[in-house]
Amino acid sequence: MFKVNKLTDYAMVLLLEMARGSTVRSTQHVSDRTGIPLPTVAKIMKSLGKAGLVQSQRGAGGGYALGRRPIEITVADVIQAVEGPIALTACAETSDEHCSIEAVCPVQGKWNRVNRAVRAALTEVTLADMAEDIPTFGPAPRAKEEPRAATALLAPVK
Amino acid sequence: MFKVNKLTDYAMVLLLEMARGSTVRSTQHVSDRTGIPLPTVAKIMKSLGKAGLVQSQRGAGGGYALGRRPIEITVADVIQAVEGPIALTACAETSDEHCSIEAVCPVQGKWNRVNRAVRAALTEVTLADMAEDIPTFGPAPRAKEEPRAATALLAPVK
DNA sequence: GCAAAGCGGACTAAAACAGTCCTGTTTACG
DNA sequence: CGTAAACAGGACTGTTTTAGTCCGCTTTGC
Ligand code: SF4
Ligand code: SF4
């Protein structure tokens, strides 16, 4: 089953939610909106932050906002932020690992072509593409009543 | 670390080795040639066999040969044979799984575009492409002296 | 008939992942 | 200036996947 990490998938959900406005949102808020558990949201946000995909505002009333415009964030960026380098095999040029056969393997480097093709495919699609006609989030938040009083107050924009 | 299964990688090595001639080879032989442990080779061959990528010949002097021409075997084929369907997310069209957010997730289906792009990239590269100027295998077999007496005798071709 | 080889599937150890938690730092605001 | 909200960083743990092995059965050439 060739697939992306579940956390990567979630990261995309979070980013898409955040793409709906440029206000700063707390992890709590985003968690409620998406249904993804709070600690998990926090963890993912940290990864995204390090990669610069989101900006953080610390302190009371703080939270996260997109680090750059949706059209400048590619799926490849998200994967790399959460999972690390995209390297289909241990011997790929983008990898830092090594395989046990590496010394004698005649396939050495042959995967690079595939690797590049996949990366190109992942770089083609941006957050903006995926955000197209996504209306609002699901059938409304989860349980707890809308908890955005605090954050709404200091929404920097709009 | 976005990567393919190690077994998939090995599968490619095996197929590439087999692409060098149309004779039937035993798993033992292929194992010696590639340095991949015998039981592992056997396991991979079974997967490849089910997918039709290799043909098997049972009984004494039996073994495996490619199931079709190298140009007709794509990287996507190999991945699917070993790992199962290529479905980047649980909600992808090619997936048979389901995710916990699926009901309320507005991203639903948005990954299909990415999924298709990746599959296309993987389908573009064939075994023939990867086999280009691969001379012989490594610095010679492993330890044990060349053990191909038996199989060489009944090589159907060439 | 015997031995070589594949077939199917069960099993286990090791690694990766998903999720949680805790301790510390920054910052708004009363 | 104290308090509480919120992020930062990292350790930890239970679960799931993966990689690798093994065994008993079937097929087939000699
Ligand atoms: S050296 Fe060969 S076996 Fe090892 S990762 Fe590269 S292609 Fe795969
Ligand atoms: S429904 Fe949403 S969270 Fe679930 S797999 Fe699809 S995109 Fe990911």
Side-chain angles (χ1 to χ4, degrees):
Chain A
M1 186 66 93
F2 187 67
K3 62 170 131 178
V4 299
N5 239 323
K6 203 193 230 176
L7 293 187
T8 302
D9 183 7
Y10 285 167
M12 191 61 74
V13 174
L14 297 180
L15 287 170
L16 248 6
E17 165 60 22
M18 307 233 304
R20 307 169 22 70
S22 53
T23 70
V24 174
R25 295 171 194 69
S26 68
T27 58
Q28 177 66 61
H29 178 205
V30 177
S31 168
D32 290 338
R33 295 275 297 178
T34 58
I36 300 172
L38 180 59
T40 302
V41 173
K43 181 177 196 170
I44 296 171
M45 285 303 194
K46 288 171 197 169
S47 299
L48 295 178
K50 276 182 199 160
L53 301 187
V54 296
Q55 285 183 324
S56 67
Q57 172 60 47
R58 297 178 68 155
Y64 294 95
L66 285 188
R68 45 182 198 252
R69 290 181 308 155
I71 201 175
E72 294 168 328
I73 297 178
T74 70
V75 174
D77 290 332
V78 180
I79 294 178
Q80 284 171 320
V82 179
E83 310 190 22
I86 295 177
L88 293 195
T89 62
C91 69
E93 54 200 0
T94 47
S95 172
D96 46 5
E97 299 181 57
H98 293 285
C99 110
S100 54
I101 320 257
E102 199 160 339
V104 300
C105 180
V107 187
Q108 269 289 12
K110 291 297 180 182
W111 274 96
N112 277 334
R113 172 170 177 178
V114 181
N115 206 34
R116 277 194 282 258
V118 169
R119 285 220 311 220
L122 292 174
T123 304
E124 266 170 22
V125 185
T126 72
L127 192 58
D129 292 327
M130 296 189 77
E132 273 172 18
D133 47 68
I134 281 187
T136 176
F137 213 101
R142 308 295 279 171
K144 331 173 178 174
E145 77 289 355
E146 311 251 342
R148 77 179 74 102
T151 54
L153 288 182
L154 37 136
V157 184
K158 172 38 155 345
Chain B
M1 187 66 93
F2 187 68
K3 63 171 131 177
V4 300
N5 233 314
K6 202 192 235 177
L7 293 187
T8 302
D9 182 8
Y10 285 167
M12 191 62 73
V13 175
L14 297 180
L15 287 170
L16 248 6
E17 164 60 22
M18 306 233 302
R20 306 169 23 68
S22 52
T23 69
V24 173
R25 295 171 193 71
S26 68
T27 58
Q28 177 67 61
H29 178 205
V30 177
S31 168
D32 290 338
R33 294 274 297 178
T34 59
I36 299 172
L38 180 60
T40 301
V41 173
K43 181 178 195 169
I44 296 171
M45 286 301 195
K46 289 172 197 169
S47 299
L48 295 178
K50 277 182 199 160
L53 302 187
V54 297
Q55 284 182 325
S56 66
Q57 173 61 45
R58 298 178 65 156
Y64 294 95
L66 284 189
R68 44 184 199 253
R69 289 180 310 154
I71 201 176
E72 294 169 328
I73 297 179
T74 70
V75 174
D77 289 333
V78 179
I79 293 178
Q80 284 170 321
V82 179
E83 311 189 22
I86 294 176
L88 293 194
T89 63
C91 69
E93 55 200 359
T94 45
S95 171
D96 45 6
E97 299 181 57
H98 293 286
C99 110
S100 53
I101 318 258
E102 199 160 339
V104 300
C105 180
V107 187
Q108 268 290 12
K110 291 297 178 180
W111 274 96
N112 277 334
R113 174 170 176 178
V114 181
N115 206 34
R116 276 194 282 258
V118 170
R119 286 219 309 218
L122 292 173
T123 305
E124 265 170 23
V125 183
T126 72
L127 192 60
D129 292 326
M130 297 189 77
E132 273 173 20
D133 47 67
I134 282 187
T136 175
F137 214 102
R142 308 294 280 173
K144 331 169 179 174
E145 76 289 356
E146 311 252 340
R148 75 180 74 101
T151 53
L153 288 181
L154 35 135
V157 183
K158 163 57 147 336

